[in-house]
Amino acid sequence: MANQDFDEAKMWTRKIRVYKDMPLRAFVDEMSRWEGFMIKRWECIPKDKHISVAICYKSGREEVYAAIRQAGVLLHESKGMISFCPEDKRDRVAMKFSDSRPGGIQVRKK
């Protein structure tokens, strides 16, 4: 456990942080602290989802949100707070990208 903590702490010194098959909840927790956004209800984050992504330390919130969407999870953002709750997504729709990005998901309002 101590080695894992050291590896995680050491990752924060890199310009690009690589996450491989990380539980989505842990990723969102780390990114919320890093980017300063709040989570409306933690219990709405899908428990069975994982994420693999490389994020530059200069990336903004939108790139973090895009990585989450790329993992197949829809989210709603309003005034610095994000929500994974279904009731907040009623006016959102997921659409496949029309370009060559495999399995990408784009979220837009109806």
Side-chain angles (χ1 to χ4, degrees):
M1 188 70 159
N3 287 341
Q4 183 181 1
D5 291 341
F6 177 75
D7 288 341
E8 287 180 24
K10 189 170 70 172
M11 182 171 59
W12 280 94
T13 66
R14 299 184 190 132
K15 289 183 179 181
I16 296 180
R17 294 169 182 92
V18 179
Y19 301 91
K20 293 183 181 175
D21 201 31
M22 182 177 206
L24 180 63
R25 184 181 175 103
F27 178 77
V28 169
D29 181 43
E30 190 167 310
M31 292 299 108
S32 68
R33 285 183 277 124
W34 183 10
E35 293 295 336
F37 56 82
M38 309 254 317
I39 310 305
K40 184 175 178 180
R41 289 185 19 219
W42 285 92
E43 64 272 13
C44 291
I45 298 173
K47 292 174 179 52
D48 61 336
K49 292 286 187 175
H50 288 74
I51 190 166
S52 295
V53 66
I55 300 265
C56 176
Y57 77 100
K58 291 183 178 181
S59 296
R61 289 179 182 181
E62 288 303 318
E63 290 187 41
V64 173
Y65 300 163
I68 294 169
R69 290 179 180 126
Q70 188 72 23
V73 178
L74 297 181
L75 62 92
H76 172 75
E77 191 272 343
S78 179
K79 299 176 185 173
M81 182 174 287
I82 64 172
S83 174
F84 298 87
C85 301
E87 62 270 16
D88 293 327
K89 296 178 199 165
R90 278 184 235 152
D91 63 343
R92 313 284 290 180
V93 85
M95 303 191 72
K96 291 281 186 186
F97 284 124
S98 58
D99 63 13
S100 62
R101 290 184 265 190
I105 297 208
Q106 179 180 12
V107 177
R108 68 177 192 179
K109 287 193 174 190
K110 288 182 180 178

